[in-house]
Amino acid sequence: MHIELVEGDITTQRVDAIVNAANSSLLGGGGVDGAIHRKGGPAILEECRALRASRYGGGLPTGRAVATTAGNLPARWVIHTVGPVYREAEDLSGVLRACYTSSLAVADELGATSVAFPLISAGVYGWPPDDAIFQALTALRDATTQVESARLVLFGEHLYTLAKEIATRG
């Protein structure tokens, strides 16, 4: 799988699937989640409500992923995943990596060949950006998937520059 680093806005990515750093309610929120729901329109929220009413009454578990329509976004699907909240005293890096691999598994089920990821858990969930980037790249590099292209979309020049540095370290 080809992995690309991009500075930009996840909601403008022209790919088969855009990954949403969702909260467990699946009903929208702030950051990436809010932006995807706002730009994607009501169709995404409608499908999320249906998922809550059926399979995910208690919310989407951390590290898991599920797909909906992409609504008005320039993609076919949105894959929602819930990242862990960072805790210095507890190593949840495996759960964070599972967000990426679970999303790729859902992409495989959908037949998606290109997927754009935000930097999961690095916003309000408090994951240190350098480690969030390392975990994302590790998960994507080690994944077994039919996805041909994964794009890590970094919001802002600082995160993009940091990601390039971490990627060159291997």
Side-chain angles (χ1 to χ4, degrees):
M1 172 176 57
H2 173 72
I3 300 169
E4 180 182 12
L5 302 176
V6 174
E7 179 186 355
D9 178 348
I10 191 84
T11 66
T12 65
Q13 302 302 304
R14 294 192 177 279
V15 290
D16 293 334
I18 291 172
V19 175
N20 180 19
N23 63 52
S24 64
S25 77
L26 295 174
L27 302 179
V32 169
D33 193 20
I36 285 173
H37 276 273
R38 279 190 304 279
K39 287 194 177 180
I44 297 172
L45 183 57
E46 184 178 313
E47 284 192 29
C48 285
R49 284 186 175 141
L51 287 166
R52 285 297 307 269
S54 61
R55 296 187 299 182
Y56 299 106
L60 183 65
T62 304
R64 300 270 310 274
V66 66
T68 65
T69 181
N72 300 324
L73 296 171
R76 293 181 65 191
W77 302 285
V78 171
I79 299 173
H80 307 266
T81 189
V82 180
V85 174
Y86 180 75
R87 293 182 186 97
E88 194 171 330
E90 185 178 4
D91 182 7
L92 297 172
S93 57
V95 179
L96 180 55
R97 289 190 305 274
C99 292
Y100 292 91
T101 56
S102 296
S103 296
L104 289 170
V106 170
D108 285 342
E109 291 170 11
L110 296 169
T113 60
S114 58
V115 180
F117 289 88
L119 191 56
I120 299 166
S121 287
V124 296
Y125 285 11
W127 208 281
D130 57 337
D131 192 56
I133 292 165
F134 175 79
Q135 299 302 333
L137 292 173
T138 299
L140 294 172
R141 287 175 178 152
D142 294 348
T144 302
T145 182
Q146 297 301 308
V147 171
E148 296 170 7
S149 174
R151 190 177 297 169
L152 186 58
V153 182
L154 300 136
F155 192 73
E157 184 179 344
H158 171 73
L159 285 179
Y160 175 69
T161 301
L162 183 60
K164 286 193 323 185
E165 290 171 9
I166 291 168
T168 58
R169 287 187 228 149

